Amino acid sequence: MHRPARIPPSSEEKVYSYKRQMTRKRLVESARDLFARKGIKDTTVEEICENQNLSRGSFYPNFDDVDDLIKAVIDREFGLVQDTLESLGTRIKAEKEAPSDLSGQGLYNMWYSLLEALPLTKIYYLLSKELHLYAFRNPSVLERLREGMFECAYILADGLESMVDVCDLRSHVDSYQLAIMVSGVVMQHYQFSLYYGYNRDHQIFLDKTARSLTQLMCCVCTTH
C-alpha cells in the first residue's frame, strides 16, 4: 500500500509550535520560582501565569493539570543536573587518553569544578524540598521524581567508576553506593551552608565540599 508523502509544516505552523514551546518554558520557569518561594500548595495557576504576564488561558493548552506542570519542573531540574554529571563523566574519561594527576590536589580540583557547575542555589534547594514533599503525597509525581533521581545516580556512578579507574584505585564499595554517598555529602554540606550562612560566599561551600569528597574517595578507595 502506497504511503502518502508527509506534508511539511507550514511557516505558520512552525511559528505556532515555537511560540507554544516558549510559553511552556515560561510557565515552567514561573512555577519553579513560585514553588520555591511560596510552596506548591500556596501557588495558584493564576499566579504562575501572571508571573510571566500570561493569561490563565495559556496554561491548559500546555499542561493537563498542576501535576503535569510539576512533572515538567522535575524534568527541567534533573535535566540540568544530568547534563552537568555527564560532562564530568566525559572529562574523566578523557583522562584515560591523556592521564594527569587525579590524586590529591588534582582530585580536589575536579570535585571543585563539578560542584561549581551544579545548579546549587537556595532556590534549587527549596524547590527540591517542595518537590519531594509533594511527591510523597502524590504517587504519579513520585514516580517521575524517582526516575530522575535514579538516572542522576547512575550517571554519577558511571563517572565515579571512570574516576576510580583513571586514578588506578580499587573501591571498597560499588559505584552506585559511592554515588549515593557522594550525593549525601554534597546535600549535607549545602544544607549546613544555608543554615550557617556561608552560602553567602559560595567559594567556601565549594572548598569545604570538595575537600570532604576528596577525603571520602581516600577512605573508600585504595591503590592497586
Side-chain angles (χ1 to χ4, degrees):
M1 184 177 186
H2 178 68
R3 180 181 295 176
R6 181 177 179 273
I7 301 175
S10 65
S11 298
E12 290 81 5
E13 289 173 327
K14 289 181 179 179
V15 170
Y16 174 77
S17 177
Y18 175 76
K19 286 184 176 179
R20 184 169 181 177
Q21 289 176 15
M22 290 299 99
T23 299
R24 182 181 174 88
K25 182 178 180 181
R26 288 169 65 188
L27 289 169
V28 170
E29 292 291 339
S30 177
R32 178 184 187 273
D33 176 61
L34 290 170
F35 290 165
R37 290 194 291 109
K38 296 185 60 179
I40 294 174
K41 286 295 185 183
D42 291 329
T43 299
T44 65
V45 170
E46 287 79 6
E47 288 174 318
I48 292 170
C49 296
E50 289 174 2
N51 194 40
Q52 285 288 330
N53 296 317
L54 296 169
S55 68
R56 192 178 192 279
S58 64
F59 183 86
Y60 288 102
N62 290 281
F63 301 101
D64 295 335
D65 50 30
V66 173
D67 279 6
D68 193 29
L69 171 62
I70 291 171
K71 291 175 184 177
V73 172
I74 289 172
D75 291 343
R76 178 203 182 278
E77 297 308 298
F78 280 118
L80 292 174
V81 176
Q82 288 167 12
D83 288 345
T84 303
L85 295 177
E86 284 175 348
S87 68
L88 169 72
T90 300
R91 177 181 168 185
I92 293 172
K93 289 172 183 177
E95 299 291 342
K96 293 181 180 180
E97 305 300 326
S100 62
D101 176 26
L102 280 184
S103 60
Q105 188 63 38
L107 190 57
Y108 166 88
N109 291 340
M110 180 163 286
W111 281 125
Y112 192 99
S113 62
L114 167 65
L115 293 165
E116 199 170 29
L118 285 171
L120 292 172
T121 63
K122 185 176 181 180
I123 290 291
Y124 176 85
Y125 178 80
L126 292 173
L127 179 63
S128 175
K129 293 298 183 184
E130 276 294 319
L131 291 174
H132 278 79
L133 286 171
Y134 186 86
F136 285 134
R137 302 184 181 104
N138 297 271
S140 65
V141 175
L142 180 59
E143 186 59 31
R144 183 64 65 87
L145 190 67
R146 283 174 178 161
E147 290 173 2
M149 290 177 66
F150 283 139
E151 184 64 23
C152 284
Y154 282 118
I155 293 172
L156 178 56
D158 184 57
L160 292 171
E161 190 172 329
S162 297
M163 183 183 292
V164 169
D165 183 35
V166 169
C167 295
D168 196 28
L169 300 172
R170 181 174 65 250
S171 176
H172 301 305
V173 298
D174 65 44
S175 57
Y176 185 79
Q177 288 176 309
L178 185 55
I180 298 300
M181 294 166 70
V182 166
S183 300
V185 169
V186 173
M187 292 314 296
Q188 282 183 333
H189 268 280
Y190 195 71
Q191 182 171 300
F192 187 87
S193 75
L194 288 174
Y195 290 159
Y196 289 92
Y198 66 73
N199 64 302
R200 287 192 293 268
D201 185 348
H202 197 56
Q203 289 183 332
I204 297 177
F205 159 73
L206 295 173
D207 175 65
K208 288 179 178 291
T209 311
R211 289 182 186 280
S212 292
L213 292 173
T214 302
Q215 291 171 356
L216 173 65
M217 293 293 288
C218 294
C219 291
V220 301
C221 299
T222 55
T223 57
H224 281 294

